[in-house]
């Protein structure tokens, strides 16, 4: 149990920033550049950790609660979810609801810390973030319900158990394919990637997630970046397990397979970011409504 | 039972003494003291009944035909007595300093009279075991709360709101009178223990009684299409009265529905579906409108509509599951619905009392004129943020526990049922998720615009001080939220006797076992938060810290007028997620030409059901009734003829009925 917990956390804490490195490298290769080294995210985090703080005169403790909760939540949520074939260290009936609401908690504090600066740019980002989540959250719940319908339990560990392999070959394969698409879109919107949000945009007016953390600096910004990396890995773990439900039985090969799956996902995100432009802002809710309808359709298919 | 009776007498006596004294301070002291003594007594008795499951009863003759002063404190009644006593205790404590300012210009004696009478009547409503006594207590509760809502009656909007409340409450009362008459006609007596024959009623008559009860009590409870009085009355009332009304008074409506259901035969599935679907609709409707209000208390009032919807969704779905023969799922849903009643009393208490503190400090209910209050009122702000977390069902507080139970029951039904029968619970599951996400929008907006950022108005820049008693009341309620959040299994054990009475099923230990991991998770979350937060605070000691102004994109002179407002925060949600009909009405703001003159823009959000359906309906009815004006000739002889004709008709009817030997 303890060993499993340590392995889980070690995988998460050590490899999460790597995903961003892979995405940046992929995008650079598409652009014909060599790009930053794979470990650039780690260097950035180390640099931010050594810096001082700059605070706005307007802010209160809520401003600092954002980064702290933003780091805590993915750490705890990761314990509920299996990493590939490695089972989740904590699992109980109904933990999928806690999983979703933990991320809601981090959203609440991210948004609150943005509003704490009193800047209208950050208010703009906050309003967009909470609005998109109104559509992304039900989609995620529907996706999890499809999985629940195919398994015999309501914990994430049973939802993402070894029965997925047979489910892919059965009638439910079509539904699984649909929710894989939905999950990928939810992953993109929740982690502020193109086509929903551009992490590298340089105009405050067009940002969503980046604009909410404009005023954070030094170690606080580092915590936010690290928390965002952890969140991407946790949500990616859901997708990777669904797409690659194989298991070998030996922990090391399972872990390696999981990491390879995540790397593949990062490359995929990089490819999407390279070949697509950002959606116009009013289009985003429309795409998300479409995604939600797709997930309901998958649910109907699996009930049939 | 004697303890409870003496609590009622103390409250009643306190109200009379408060009315008779001249000075405001003395009336306040008497009012607070009687609640402070009586509420713990009532709470203690309720706790004992909940733990033991043994009902207490009392009966005395009453000189009213068909009436009897019979009281019954069974687990279901005790389940409601407990929150009533806790919340009225803290509201009374809070009201002392809150009303002190008003007490300088007018006597507080009537306020304390009605306040204590309202608490007495609420207790009497839930323990009355006779239909006439119940209706009398119900009416006293309505009237006393009407006078409390109309406290600031020199303002026109308050008078209108109070009037709407009285009108709606009496329409509901009419349905209840009909319901009890109908129920009494099948039985020989109006005591609840004479209502035994109701359990053998054919489904048609039972359904009629159920529908009358659902809508009659639903008006008070804030059931979705008949909630119309609620968004106006809550902002109009003083804040501790809003807290008490939203926290427990409207729950007496849910009590009434549950009490009538316990007398009727086992519910068919469609009763449950009706309640659950109305609840789900109300939850979505309430929270959508709550996200668009700029009046903070109106926003909280709509959130009450949402939470009542969640409770009814849980209870209604429990009935569905029980009717389909899934006792485990039914227990989960009933437990979620019942626990949400307690949870809502606690966190809505915190929210309304906190809103009152903000209104008291700044003199406005408009969130766009607040801002930066967390810096200036750190403790109120902290407690209000805590309450917002609880009401948005976020861990580690209590809102999540009850919603989690409802989620779990819906998901289990969705996986246990076959084919398309499973689709409705699964869709409700997703809908509840959307309601949760909208609640996050609403409450992040509420705290973000009111408490954070820069003050948008001079009043918010220099708020008045808040008295310690107000903070203690809020803090105690929030502590209750936290306790349920980290120790849910104990709370569920406390509710188990009431739960088994409502669900008509035995309650085992498995419910407590199911929620235990949530409580442990909450503890773990808090531990990690404290460790990381401490680490962060420690790091700040060693690092260079610079204070500067917020990044304004290089603009050198930002003002608070440029900050995001409530409307701008909600604009994205209302324009991209909501149907056009639910968006706020915008007037003015048209700008034309190269050198436009200054123009005004105003936005207001009105209640769709009231404005689009009920108001036109009643206006049309009033128009029709105009045609009967010729009956009113204004001459005495004509009215004497009316009286004569009416008496003659009644006499003939009674002779005819007597001749046929009918009753």
């Amino acid at each position: 149990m303890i060993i499993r917990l340590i392995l889980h956390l070690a995988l998460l804490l050590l490899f999460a920033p790597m995903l961003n490195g892979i995405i940046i490298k992929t995008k650079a290769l598409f652009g014909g550049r060599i790009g930053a080294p794979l470990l650039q995210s780690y260097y950035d985090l180390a640099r931010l950790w050594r810096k001082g703080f700059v605070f706005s005169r307007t802010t209160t403790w809520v401003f600092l609660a954002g980064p702290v909760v933003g780091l805590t939540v993915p750490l705890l949520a990761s314990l509920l979810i299996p990493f590939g074939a490695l089972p989740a260290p904590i699992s109980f009936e109904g933990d999928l609801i806690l999983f979703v609401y933990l991320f809601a908690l981090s959203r609440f504090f991210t948004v609150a810390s943005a509003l704490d600066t009193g800047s209208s740019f950050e208010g703009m980002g906050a309003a967009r973030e909470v609005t998109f989540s109104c559509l992304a959250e039900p989609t995620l719940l529907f996706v999890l319900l499809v999985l629940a319908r195919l398994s015999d339990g309501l914990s994430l560990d049973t939802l993402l158990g070894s029965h997925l392999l047979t489910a892919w070959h059965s009638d439910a394969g079509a539904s699984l394919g649909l929710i894989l698409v939905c999950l990928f879109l939810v992953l993109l919107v929740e982690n502020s990637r193109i086509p929903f949000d551009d992490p590298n945009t340089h105009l405050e007016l067009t940002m969503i997630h980046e604009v909410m953390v404009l005023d954070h600096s030094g170690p606080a910004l580092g915590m936010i970046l690290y928390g965002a990396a952890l969140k991407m890995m946790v949500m990616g773990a859901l997708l990777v397990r669904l797409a690659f439900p194989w298991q070998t039985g030996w922990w090391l090969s399972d872990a390696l397979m999981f990491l390879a799956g995540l790397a593949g996902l990062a490359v995929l995100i990089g490819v999407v970011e390279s070949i697509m432009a950002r959606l116009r802002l009013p289009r985003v809710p429309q795409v998300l409504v479409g995604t939600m309808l797709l997930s309901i359709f998958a649910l109907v298919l699996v009930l049939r | 039972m004697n303890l409870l009776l003496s609590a009622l007498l103390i409250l009643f006596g306190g109200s009379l003494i408060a009315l008779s004294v001249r000075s405001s301070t003395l009336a306040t002291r008497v009012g607070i003291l009687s609640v402070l003594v009586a509420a713990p007594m009532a709470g203690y008795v309720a706790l004992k009944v909940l733990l033991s499951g043994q009902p207490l009863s009392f009966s005395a003759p009453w000189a009213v035909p068909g009436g009897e002063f019979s009281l019954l404190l069974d687990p279901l009644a005790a389940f409601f007595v407990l929150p009533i006593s806790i919340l009225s205790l803290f509201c009374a404590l809070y009201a002392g300093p809150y009303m002190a300012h008003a007490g300088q210009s007018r006597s507080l004696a009537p306020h304390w009279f009605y306040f204590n009478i309202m608490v007495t009547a609420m207790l009497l409503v839930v323990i009355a075991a006779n239909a006439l006594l119940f209706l009398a207590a119900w009416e006293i509760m309505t009237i006393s709360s009407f006078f409390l809502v109309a406290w600031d009656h020199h303002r026109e909007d308050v008078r209108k709101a109070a009037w709407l409340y009285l009108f709606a409450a009496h329409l509901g009362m009419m349905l209840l009178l009909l319901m009890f008459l109908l129920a009494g006609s099948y039985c020989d007596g109006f005591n609840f223990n004479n209502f035994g024959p109701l359990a053998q009623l054919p489904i048609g008559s039972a359904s009629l009684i159920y529908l009358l009860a659902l809508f009659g009590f639903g008006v008070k409870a804030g059931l979705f299409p008949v909630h119309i009085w609620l968004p106006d009355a809550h902002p109009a009332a003083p804040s501790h009265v809003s807290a008490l009304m939203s926290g427990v008074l409207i729950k007496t409506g849910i009590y009434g529905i549950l009490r009538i259901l316990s007398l009727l035969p086992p519910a068919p599935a469609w009763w449950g579906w009706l309640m659950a679907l109305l609840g789900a609709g109300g939850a979505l409707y309430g929270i959508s409108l709550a996200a668009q209000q700029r009046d903070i208390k109106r926003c909280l009032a709509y959130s009450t509509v949402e939470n009542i919807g969640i409770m009814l969704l849980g209870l209604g779905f429990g009935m569905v599951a029980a009717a389909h023969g899934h006792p485990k799922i039914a227990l989960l849903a009933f437990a979620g619905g019942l626990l949400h009643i307690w949870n809502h009393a606690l966190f809505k208490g915190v929210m309304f009392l906190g809103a009152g503190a903000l209104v008291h400090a700044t003199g406005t209910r408009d969130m766009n004129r607040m801002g930066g209050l967390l810096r200036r009122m750190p403790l109120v702000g902290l407690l209000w943020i805590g309450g917002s977390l609880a009401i948005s069902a976020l861990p580690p507080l209590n809102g999540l526990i009850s919603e989690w139970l409802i989620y779990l029951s819906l998901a289990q039904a969705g996986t246990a049922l076959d084919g398309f029968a499973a689709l409705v619970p699964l869709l409700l599951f997703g809908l509840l998720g959307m309601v949760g996400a909208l609640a996050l929008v609403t409450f992040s907006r509420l705290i973000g615009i009111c408490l954070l950022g820069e003050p948008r108005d001079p009043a918010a820049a220099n708020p008045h001080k808040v008295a310690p008693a107000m903070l203690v009341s809020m803090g105690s309620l929030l502590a209750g939220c936290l306790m349920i959040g980290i120790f849910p299994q104990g709370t569920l054990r406390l509710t188990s006797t009431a739960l088994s009475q409502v669900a008509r099923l035995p309650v085992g230990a498995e419910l407590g076992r199911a929620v235990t991991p949530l409580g442990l998770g909450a503890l773990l979350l808090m531990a990690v938060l404290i460790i990381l937060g401490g680490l962060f605070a420690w790091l700040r000691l060693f690092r260079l810290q610079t204070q500067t102004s917020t990044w304004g994109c290089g603009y050198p002179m930002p003002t608070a007028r440029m900050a995001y407002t409530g409307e701008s925060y909600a604009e994205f949600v209302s324009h991209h997620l909501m149907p056009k009909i639910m968006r706020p009405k915008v007037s003015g703001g048209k700008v034309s030409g190269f050198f436009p003159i200054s123009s005004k823009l105003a936005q207001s959000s009105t209640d769709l059901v009231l404005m689009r359906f009920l108001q036109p309906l009643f206006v049309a009815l009033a128009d029709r009734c105009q045609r009967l004006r010729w009956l009113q000739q204004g001459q005495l002889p004509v009215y004497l003829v009316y009286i004569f004709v009416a008496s003659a008709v009644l006499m003939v009817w009674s002779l005819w009925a007597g001749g046929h030997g009918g009753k």
Side-chain angles (χ1 to χ4, degrees):
Chain A
M1 172 70 194
I2 297 291
I3 295 174
R4 200 191 285 168
L5 187 76
I6 293 172
L7 177 66
H8 222 73
L9 286 178
L11 276 178
L12 178 77
L13 293 173
L14 289 180
F15 290 97
M18 180 74 101
L19 294 183
N20 204 23
I22 297 175
I23 294 174
I24 294 172
K25 199 75 178 173
T26 314
K27 285 169 81 172
L29 289 179
F30 256 84
R33 291 172 285 124
I34 297 172
L38 272 180
L39 298 180
Q40 186 61 43
S41 307
Y42 297 91
Y43 302 147
D44 287 346
L45 288 176
R47 178 171 49 84
L48 286 169
W49 182 252
R50 288 194 302 270
K51 291 202 165 201
F53 291 92
V54 180
F55 291 121
S56 155
R57 281 183 210 98
T58 314
T59 55
T60 56
W61 60 267
V62 172
F63 186 66
L64 288 177
V68 173
V69 178
L71 189 58
T72 308
V73 159
L75 264 182
L76 288 183
S78 75
L79 300 181
L80 299 175
I81 204 160
F83 279 178
L86 305 171
I90 299 177
S91 165
F92 59 93
E93 181 83 349
D95 61 3
L96 59 97
I97 301 151
L98 183 64
F99 180 80
V100 173
Y101 272 83
L102 272 174
F103 281 109
L105 177 72
S106 104
R107 189 177 306 121
F108 185 92
F109 273 103
T110 311
V111 161
S113 79
L115 290 169
D116 199 21
T117 61
S119 148
S120 32
F121 292 120
E122 309 205 11
M124 217 178 272
R128 291 169 187 171
E129 170 96 358
V130 289
T131 308
F132 294 160
S133 74
C134 290
L135 295 167
E137 211 173 278
T139 312
L140 183 57
L141 287 175
F142 283 130
V143 165
L144 292 175
L145 282 178
V146 172
L147 292 174
R149 188 75 202 177
L150 295 175
S151 66
D152 51 354
L154 286 170
S155 71
L156 286 167
D157 208 33
T158 37
L159 252 54
L160 298 166
S162 50
H163 65 279
L164 279 176
L165 198 57
T166 45
W168 270 107
H169 292 292
S170 70
D171 286 350
S175 286
L176 286 179
L178 284 177
I179 62 169
L180 201 59
V181 174
C182 295
L183 210 50
F184 185 61
L185 289 171
V186 169
L187 177 88
L188 292 181
V189 73
E190 285 280 328
N191 292 288
S192 341
R193 312 301 311 192
I194 293 176
F196 300 104
D197 185 13
D198 186 354
N200 294 326
T201 182
H202 59 274
L203 188 62
E204 286 87 341
L205 276 175
T206 63
M207 299 175 177
I208 299 171
H209 186 263
E210 293 310 302
V211 78
M212 287 199 291
V213 300
L214 266 184
D215 269 85
H216 285 281
S217 56
L221 183 60
M223 273 176 120
I224 289 174
L225 293 182
Y226 198 33
L230 298 185
K231 181 179 176 186
M232 177 130 102
M233 178 147 164
V234 170
M235 304 210 68
L238 199 64
L239 199 129
V240 166
R241 177 62 180 162
L242 183 58
F244 308 105
W246 295 281
Q247 55 196 36
T248 57
W250 185 42
W251 67 269
L252 187 60
S253 52
D254 279 341
L256 285 177
M257 205 171 71
F258 169 65
L259 290 178
L262 275 179
L265 175 68
V267 171
L268 184 64
I269 294 174
V271 171
V272 169
E273 297 218 331
S274 307
I275 59 174
M276 275 188 85
R278 236 190 90 121
L279 287 172
R280 228 155 38 85
L281 206 56
R283 288 262 173 266
V284 175
Q286 294 169 0
V287 173
L288 288 176
V289 169
T291 316
M292 190 161 76
L293 292 179
L294 206 61
S295 64
I296 296 177
F297 184 59
L299 197 58
V300 173
L301 273 186
V302 90
L303 287 180
R304 183 173 49 96
Chain B
M1 199 67 192
N2 284 335
L3 207 56
L4 189 58
L5 279 176
S6 34
L8 287 177
L9 282 178
I10 291 173
L11 280 171
F12 187 62
S15 68
L16 290 183
I17 298 173
L19 188 65
S20 61
V21 297
R22 198 166 273 260
S23 117
S24 280
T25 19
L26 200 57
T28 307
R29 281 196 192 138
V30 170
I32 296 180
L33 195 68
S34 54
V35 177
L36 234 49
V37 173
M41 286 159 67
Y44 171 73
V45 179
L47 210 56
K48 240 172 54 182
V49 171
L50 276 179
L51 283 175
S52 68
Q54 298 299 323
L56 301 173
S57 61
F58 171 83
S59 187
W62 191 28
V64 171
E68 190 182 324
F69 200 83
S70 67
L71 306 175
L72 173 71
L73 188 72
D74 57 355
L76 177 60
F79 181 84
F80 285 86
V81 169
L82 191 63
I84 290 174
S85 47
I86 291 177
L87 201 61
S88 55
L89 175 76
F90 289 115
C91 286
L93 203 62
Y94 174 96
Y98 181 77
M99 297 300 284
H101 183 67
Q104 286 163 6
S105 52
R106 59 192 281 206
S107 171
L108 289 182
H111 174 268
W112 284 105
F113 170 71
Y114 289 123
F115 186 86
N116 283 17
I117 286 284
M118 182 169 91
V119 176
T120 321
M122 281 195 293
L123 288 174
L124 208 51
V125 159
V126 293
I127 59 174
N130 175 284
L132 293 180
L133 181 66
F134 178 88
L135 285 174
W138 184 265
E139 187 60 17
I140 294 173
M141 182 176 84
T142 303
I143 302 274
S144 56
S145 53
F146 162 74
F147 281 112
L148 286 172
V149 168
W151 174 248
D152 286 320
H153 52 78
H154 54 272
R155 295 214 323 261
E156 198 199 344
D157 57 328
V158 171
R159 284 200 301 275
K160 271 190 175 163
W163 187 242
L164 182 64
Y165 169 51
L166 195 67
F167 179 69
H170 279 99
L171 278 184
M173 179 80 179
M174 269 159 55
L175 295 182
L176 292 186
L177 276 174
L178 255 174
M179 190 267 296
F180 276 116
L181 274 179
L182 195 63
S185 71
Y186 296 111
C187 317
D188 47 350
F190 282 100
N191 276 347
F192 285 171
N193 53 15
N194 296 348
F195 278 180
L198 288 186
Q200 270 81 47
L201 277 188
I203 195 66
S205 340
S207 298
L208 187 60
I209 292 182
Y210 167 70
L211 286 179
L212 284 173
L214 181 65
F215 284 96
F217 287 120
V219 171
K220 188 67 103 187
L223 175 74
F224 162 48
V226 286
H227 65 276
I228 41 137
W229 62 272
L230 213 144
D232 285 333
H234 281 358
S239 295
H240 59 286
V241 177
S242 328
L244 204 52
M245 284 180 73
S246 171
V248 287
L249 188 136
I250 59 168
K251 312 286 173 40
T252 56
I254 293 191
Y255 163 79
I257 296 175
L258 291 178
R259 175 64 73 192
I260 296 301
L261 277 174
S262 75
L263 298 170
L264 292 176
W270 73 265
W271 291 9
W273 279 125
L274 180 69
M275 196 196 269
L277 292 177
L278 283 179
L284 196 58
Y285 176 85
I287 199 65
S288 307
L289 281 173
Q292 305 183 32
Q293 306 300 323
R294 61 192 286 179
D295 180 333
I296 55 175
K297 287 176 75 182
R298 208 175 151 82
C299 171
L300 292 176
Y302 272 115
S303 137
T304 301
V305 176
E306 177 228 347
N307 280 292
I308 290 288
I310 292 175
M311 287 163 214
L312 291 177
L313 172 61
L315 297 172
F317 193 69
M319 285 157 70
V320 173
H324 283 307
H326 292 284
K328 272 190 179 160
I329 299 173
L331 270 185
L332 280 174
F334 276 124
L338 283 181
L339 189 59
H340 206 66
I341 295 177
W342 277 9
N343 286 344
H344 182 246
L346 288 174
F347 53 60
K348 196 43 84 59
V350 177
M351 290 312 283
F352 263 122
L353 296 186
L358 297 187
V359 172
H360 183 72
T362 61
T364 176
R365 295 200 311 258
D366 184 354
M367 64 166 71
N368 291 344
R369 297 179 57 194
M370 297 184 183
L373 288 169
L374 185 61
R375 264 185 110 79
R376 289 158 185 85
M377 307 165 70
L379 279 175
V380 175
L382 176 69
L383 295 172
W384 222 43
I385 291 178
S388 303
L389 288 178
I391 203 168
S392 317
L394 297 176
L397 290 144
N398 59 348
L400 180 64
I401 311 289
S402 41
E403 289 201 21
W404 183 84
L405 286 166
I406 298 175
Y407 269 122
L408 199 62
S409 71
L410 290 171
Q412 284 194 352
T415 46
L417 296 176
D418 283 331
F420 285 102
L423 191 60
V424 182
L426 292 178
L427 288 179
L428 285 177
F429 186 93
L431 191 108
L432 198 54
M434 192 179 254
V435 169
L438 279 166
L440 192 94
V441 177
T442 308
F443 289 97
S444 65
R445 170 176 178 266
L446 198 63
I447 65 147
I449 306 296
C450 294
L451 297 179
L452 308 176
E454 290 285 350
R456 297 178 183 78
D457 194 85
N462 305 299
H464 301 296
K465 274 222 153 29
V466 169
M470 292 162 75
L471 288 173
V472 169
S473 303
M474 288 173 69
S476 317
L477 292 174
L478 190 64
C481 292
L482 191 62
M483 223 177 66
I484 297 182
I486 58 183
F487 194 53
Q489 63 273 34
T491 319
L492 275 184
R493 208 173 54 225
L494 201 58
T495 61
S496 61
T497 45
L499 176 60
S500 85
Q501 192 185 348
V502 169
R504 303 185 191 188
L505 292 165
V507 179
E510 70 275 359
L511 261 181
R513 268 202 297 280
V515 292
T516 311
L518 269 187
L520 293 178
L523 271 180
L524 184 65
L525 173 67
M526 289 205 303
V528 177
L529 276 179
I530 289 172
I531 292 171
L532 274 179
L535 199 72
F536 205 51
W538 176 75
L539 189 70
R540 277 179 67 182
L541 297 177
F542 303 100
R543 295 290 155 81
L544 184 68
Q545 297 190 40
T546 322
Q547 292 269 329
T548 170
S549 60
T550 297
W551 169 243
C553 233
Y555 184 70
M557 287 178 296
T559 72
R561 283 176 59 90
M562 295 162 62
Y564 242 44
T565 58
E567 273 88 2
S568 41
Y569 191 75
E571 189 259 338
F572 207 66
V573 171
S574 56
H575 279 255
H576 291 284
L577 294 190
M578 292 181 194
K580 209 167 188 175
I581 193 162
M582 284 180 67
R583 291 178 202 160
K585 307 279 166 298
V586 180
S587 56
K590 292 269 182 296
V591 177
S592 60
F594 291 113
F595 302 101
I597 50 166
S598 62
S599 69
K600 275 194 170 174
L601 179 121
Q603 223 182 27
S604 64
S605 173
T606 50
D607 196 286
L608 184 67
V609 177
L610 181 64
M611 290 300 169
R612 290 286 175 113
F613 300 102
L614 293 180
Q615 193 144 323
L617 175 72
F618 280 105
V619 167
L621 275 179
D623 278 347
R624 295 283 148 79
C625 292
Q626 286 283 336
R627 297 196 192 150
L628 295 176
R629 282 293 290 268
W630 60 268
L631 281 169
Q632 305 270 8
Q633 296 291 344
Q635 286 170 356
L636 191 59
V638 178
Y639 291 108
L640 285 177
V641 169
Y642 289 164
I643 291 171
F644 175 74
V645 170
S647 319
V649 167
L650 277 177
M651 201 171 72
V652 170
W653 185 34
S654 63
L655 283 176
W656 178 76
H660 286 259
K663 283 201 279 191

